[in-house]
Amino acid sequence: MDKQESRAAGTLAAVFSVRLLGLFMIYPVFADYAQGLQGATAYTIGLALGIYGLSQGLLQIPFGLISDRVGRKSMIVLGFVLFIIGSVIAALSGSIWGVVVGRVLQGAGAVGSVILALVADLTSEDNRTKAMATVGITIGVAFMVAVVAGPIAASLIGVSGIFWLMAVLGFVGIAITLFMVPQPEASVSHRDAQAVPAMLGRVLKDPELLRLDFGIFALHAMLTASFLVVPDLLDRSLGLTAHNQWIVYLPVLVVSVVVMVPAIIVAEKYRHMKGVLVAAIAAMAVAEIVLMLAGTNVAGLLIALTVFFAGFNVMEASLPSLVTKTAPALAKGTASGVYSSSQFIGIFMGGVFGGWAHKVAGDPAVFALSAAVALVWLGLAVTMRQPSYLSTRLVRIDGTGDTEKLAERLRQVPGVAEAVVIAEEKLAYLKVDSRAYDQEAAVSATQAA
């Protein structure tokens, strides 16, 4: 990437991370804190933890589409304003229902799709994948930092202080957006980075994409539900209050990353993606069953948490790659948008049904519900097709000539499995095997008479 593209990727990754950092920091400490709020029950605590996912999931795609018309930065600033207002309401509220309202507004600032669209505006077709990867890595790092930092921050400023910190981070996000992120020359729709309404039907009818959508839904539903009861288990088994539990989360996450790296290498480099995926889901299912049966057994609890987070991190890194491999050339952005919305709806459902299970039958019921979700997901993964190991490439064209003949020439290029030419966008969308793809031959094909 050139200097401008690197700046765009770095600053937009920072915008993404300051928002996610606050949202994730609340996870390991919220259940303990919420018990002291007026009107709190196991169910309403789960609702409050997860409900931001509902508003975010529903508004994610619309925010991106609206930003095509009114501008990316305007929508990002609006999203952060909603996020700040929601954070302040949650910080000031002494009632669980006030926190619910605040969390709904936090999620309503659904700027994720807008940020990705702005990344596309500010990068060339050749470097867009690298820029998107930078943002994706930031999301994973933000989650791991937040899970460790949340308990530490709660011990220093309290959980209400974390909500105030979210508001401050919202202002930081606005400042970065307005003063550090480059201004794009124009905001246009990018099929490889944004949802296209005309492609939604095709994406929602694709059984392989739906399996992946269910996968990210299940992954975050299990995570949210588990955080409703794990902090209390750590307190009862190890005598660690929620404020001190970073002592457990830090080594657990470090080990999970050590496991994740070779697993991703095996999946991507040696093309054993399905095997790694099935193994990771099975590991998480076993971890949830152990958590259900272990009670306050320290060894069982720590081993199960480590196995769960190892599987979680493997899936968090693998599933977006699988969506890219599976989506049609013209529907990558749409498939990613539906996938992202499924993740946030999973957060909401995990909070709601996890809270309900906890209220009805206590900790074991939450883990039993999560294990059942994992087993359903495992069945879907076992029966999925082997992934194609294809990636999306964009090649610029001059927009003239016979587009069908150009597409046919591109299909003859080594490594190209699919080629669609959109004359008005002056782009050819390709699905390619990166091991065999010849970029120079593709460019030459677009210039042939």
Side-chain angles (χ1 to χ4, degrees):
M1 294 187 287
D2 64 27
K3 185 177 180 180
Q4 177 87 342
E5 290 174 324
S6 296
R7 178 185 169 196
T11 53
L12 287 169
V15 171
F16 225 129
S17 65
V18 295
R19 183 175 183 275
L20 292 178
L21 188 64
L23 287 170
F24 287 140
M25 282 175 70
I26 213 74
Y27 263 55
V29 295
F30 183 75
D32 179 68
Y33 163 78
Q35 290 175 16
L37 297 173
Q38 181 181 354
T41 65
Y43 173 75
T44 56
I45 290 171
L47 176 66
L49 181 61
I51 198 166
Y52 88 90
L54 178 62
S55 50
Q56 176 123 340
L58 293 177
L59 294 175
Q60 187 89 351
I61 291 176
F63 255 61
L65 296 175
I66 293 170
S67 73
D68 288 341
R69 296 174 176 267
V70 305
R72 312 292 189 213
K73 290 192 175 184
S74 297
M75 290 303 294
I76 292 174
V77 170
L78 172 61
F80 271 114
V81 168
L82 291 171
F83 181 76
I84 291 166
I85 293 171
S87 300
V88 171
I89 290 173
L92 293 174
S93 183
S95 137
I96 193 70
W97 294 109
V99 175
V100 167
V101 171
R103 296 285 281 169
V104 169
L105 287 172
Q106 284 185 319
V111 298
S113 60
V114 186
I115 292 172
L116 295 180
L118 186 50
V119 171
D121 286 339
L122 293 168
T123 54
S124 67
E125 293 83 5
D126 292 340
N127 291 324
R128 193 166 297 158
T129 299
K130 299 174 189 175
M132 294 291 186
T134 300
V135 175
I137 291 170
T138 300
I139 295 172
V141 172
F143 170 76
M144 289 185 283
V145 170
V147 169
V148 175
I152 297 173
S155 70
L156 298 174
I157 60 177
V159 175
S160 61
I162 295 179
F163 283 118
W164 284 113
L165 178 60
M166 289 188 198
V168 172
L169 289 171
F171 283 111
V172 172
I174 290 174
I176 295 172
T177 300
L178 293 179
F179 303 115
M180 297 180 68
V181 175
Q183 183 67 33
E185 293 181 5
S187 294
V188 297
S189 181
H190 304 273
R191 292 174 182 267
D192 61 321
Q194 292 174 258
V196 177
M199 299 301 297
L200 281 171
R202 183 174 180 183
V203 166
L204 293 173
K205 292 176 183 177
D206 188 314
E208 298 305 313
L209 286 173
L210 289 175
R211 291 173 198 267
L212 301 176
D213 294 336
F214 181 83
I216 196 64
F217 169 93
L219 187 67
H220 283 267
M222 293 161 60
L223 178 74
T224 305
S226 297
F227 266 122
L228 293 174
V229 291
V230 164
D232 182 59
L233 271 180
L234 290 175
D235 189 0
R236 289 189 282 122
S237 60
L238 293 171
L240 293 173
T241 66
H243 294 175
N244 298 319
Q245 290 174 5
W246 66 270
I247 298 171
V248 172
Y249 295 130
L250 179 58
V252 163
L253 288 171
V254 168
V255 172
S256 72
V257 171
V258 171
V259 172
M260 176 191 72
V261 172
I264 296 302
I265 291 173
V266 169
E268 294 284 0
K269 183 177 181 179
Y270 297 104
R271 300 196 168 185
H272 295 300
M273 182 67 79
K274 180 177 178 180
V276 170
L277 180 110
V278 169
I281 300 169
M284 286 188 291
V286 170
E288 293 287 356
I289 293 169
V290 171
L291 287 168
M292 178 181 67
L293 300 175
T296 56
N297 181 278
V298 173
L301 179 58
L302 295 179
I303 292 171
L305 283 176
T306 303
V307 170
F308 176 83
F309 277 108
F312 178 89
N313 284 333
V314 169
M315 298 311 302
E316 194 80 334
S318 300
L319 286 173
S321 175
L322 274 169
V323 171
T324 299
K325 290 174 173 62
T326 305
L330 288 181
K332 178 186 171 186
T334 307
S336 296
V338 173
Y339 168 88
S340 180
S341 295
S342 300
Q343 170 185 330
F344 291 110
I345 298 300
I347 290 170
F348 169 65
M349 298 296 280
V352 168
F353 285 99
W356 169 78
H358 194 210
K359 180 179 180 179
V360 171
D363 296 355
V366 177
F367 295 126
L369 179 63
S370 297
V373 171
L375 290 172
V376 172
W377 183 14
L378 181 62
L380 292 173
V382 167
T383 56
M384 71 181 284
R385 292 201 309 256
Q386 287 288 348
S388 61
Y389 298 100
L390 299 177
S391 56
T392 302
R393 293 285 191 277
L394 277 67
V395 179
R396 186 148 295 276
I397 62 173
D398 63 14
T400 61
D402 190 323
T403 57
E404 196 50 52
K405 287 184 178 179
L406 173 55
E408 185 57 38
R409 287 200 302 271
L410 286 167
R411 293 184 194 110
Q412 306 307 312
V413 171
V416 174
E418 180 184 349
V420 182
V421 177
I422 306 296
E424 56 269 28
E425 296 180 21
K426 296 185 177 181
L427 285 174
Y429 292 82
L430 312 179
K431 294 286 287 188
V432 307
D433 183 336
S434 58
R435 291 184 178 180
Y437 177 56
D438 188 335
Q439 174 74 15
E440 293 183 2
V443 173
S444 297
T446 66
Q447 297 170 347

